[in-house]
Amino acid sequence: MSRRSKIYEGKAKILYEGPEPGTLIQYFKDDATAFNAQKRATLQGKGVLNNVISEHVFTQLDAIGIPTHFLRRLSMREQLVRAVEIIPVEVVVRNVAAGSICKRLGLEEGTALPRAIVEYYYKDDALGDPMISEEHITAFGWAQDFELDEIIHMALRVNDFLCGMFAAIGIRLVDFKLEFGRFYTEEHMQIVLADEISPDGCRLWDMKTNEKLDKDRFRRDMGGEIEAYQEVARRLGVLPSADIRDIADGDGRKKRKV
Ligand code: UDP
């Protein structure tokens, strides 16, 4: 990996220059952060699980006509994606109250929302990703009106599809975060789904037991993060057969089993 030039390093992923112009390699790290990176840890195997879970979800979304940046998985920790211009807005879709909406509106965790609710947060770590409205997005030019219309439409379609996909494996999709980008060809520009969809950015509860199968286990010091992510991968039918804790990390070193 070190021979490739690094374009950007985020909290959980690294972007490297891709093999062809207009492509990037998205590398999934084992690093976990929460509360605007005030809490950090390494969860061995998380990158592998998020890579295969996100590959599966993006492939399924592509099959129903949602355009995405995903091209193909390259290895246990890498995927080839289209280079896109990221729109600096995190789009959150909620079906059930959890996390920040509970604090903000005084709702009890687990309350079903009257309908799916879309929220926006400005992607800025220094500001702690503040919540914003559609007005901020268009007034500050982060996205134009027609782009925002497409984003909302796509976010709700993704929600409908993923609610069904997870329900089929006994999981409630409580909420999740999406990111979008602009993909330019010579003739036109297309809004595409970017980033990843994995238990790092979704709340996933077992439908029978309400057990949390997502990053809240890390945020709340519950433990069992990897087992929970593995359970999601297993139910989706994408759990790698190799011991994920033994798959090489970013430096090509083998990680010890824990
Ligand atoms: N989320 C995310 N990245 C962020 C903030 C939130 O992926 O920077 C996801 C989070 O995992 C959850 C959803 O977006 O599935 C809604 O998060 P919420 O606003 O409740 O914030 P949190 O409780 O994570 O602070």
Side-chain angles (χ1 to χ4, degrees):
M1 282 307 311
S2 50
R3 278 175 288 119
R4 290 191 184 124
S5 67
K6 196 189 276 189
I7 308 280
Y8 173 80
E9 178 153 7
K11 284 170 264 187
K13 294 190 293 296
I14 306 173
L15 288 176
Y16 294 97
E17 188 180 72
E20 295 129 40
T23 65
L24 296 172
I25 292 170
Q26 184 165 250
Y27 177 93
F28 288 76
K29 299 193 281 185
D30 284 343
D31 299 350
T33 62
F35 312 119
N36 204 15
Q38 287 170 45
K39 178 173 178 170
R40 293 166 184 273
T42 301
L43 303 175
Q44 286 189 4
K46 178 176 79 81
V48 172
L49 291 163
N50 283 352
N51 187 19
V52 295
I53 292 170
S54 195
E55 172 198 14
H56 179 77
V57 173
F58 274 66
T59 305
Q60 299 288 306
L61 290 172
D62 180 71
I64 59 153
I66 305 273
T68 83
H69 75 156
F70 179 82
L71 292 169
R72 64 194 162 87
R73 184 161 65 81
L74 297 173
S75 69
M76 295 310 277
R77 289 179 179 276
E78 295 167 331
Q79 43 183 248
L80 186 68
V81 299
R82 292 183 211 279
V84 300
E85 182 182 275
I86 290 288
I87 293 170
V89 174
E90 297 192 342
V91 179
V92 168
V93 184
R94 301 180 185 276
N95 299 300
V96 174
S100 67
I101 197 174
C102 293
K103 273 195 220 140
R104 193 176 302 115
L105 302 182
L107 297 173
E108 193 185 333
E109 183 179 80
T111 311
L113 297 170
R115 60 174 170 81
I117 293 176
V118 182
E119 294 176 349
Y120 309 96
Y121 296 84
Y122 180 45
K123 263 170 76 73
D124 187 316
D125 284 340
L127 298 175
D129 296 346
M131 192 180 189
I132 52 175
S133 75
E134 293 181 12
E135 284 284 289
H136 298 97
I137 296 172
T138 52
F140 290 113
W142 296 322
Q144 295 184 47
D145 275 306
F146 80 94
E147 294 176 322
L148 195 51
D149 287 347
E150 245 170 79
I151 288 171
I152 299 167
H153 181 71
M154 275 165 69
L156 291 173
R157 272 195 76 202
V158 170
N159 184 48
D160 278 350
F161 179 78
L162 293 188
C163 279
M165 190 189 86
F166 282 115
I169 53 169
I171 292 176
R172 178 169 295 120
L173 179 60
V174 170
D175 59 32
F176 60 98
K177 186 259 297 183
L178 297 175
E179 293 191 26
F180 293 89
R182 296 185 188 93
F183 171 56
Y184 292 96
T185 61
E186 272 172 26
E187 296 89 48
H188 72 300
M189 182 281 291
Q190 188 182 23
I191 300 284
V192 302
L193 190 61
D195 193 48
E196 69 178 297
I197 299 180
S198 73
D200 266 8
C202 302
R203 285 196 171 91
L204 303 169
W205 295 356
D206 181 272
M207 278 183 155
K208 283 203 194 107
T209 63
N210 278 335
E211 189 189 357
K212 295 183 196 304
L213 301 172
D214 57 56
K215 202 165 109 177
D216 269 350
R217 301 198 75 88
F218 172 65
R219 294 189 187 98
R220 299 182 182 197
D221 292 320
M222 296 167 77
E225 295 90 347
I226 289 301
E227 290 73 11
Y229 285 37
Q230 263 179 324
E231 179 61 13
V232 174
R234 189 189 66 75
R235 291 195 202 179
L236 288 171
V238 298
L239 185 64
S241 53
D243 184 338
I244 45 124
R245 294 174 207 237
D246 239 1
I247 292 170
D249 68 8
D251 308 318
R253 281 179 283 116
K254 280 263 186 180
K255 286 198 162 171
R256 262 185 307 117
K257 279 190 204 171
V258 289

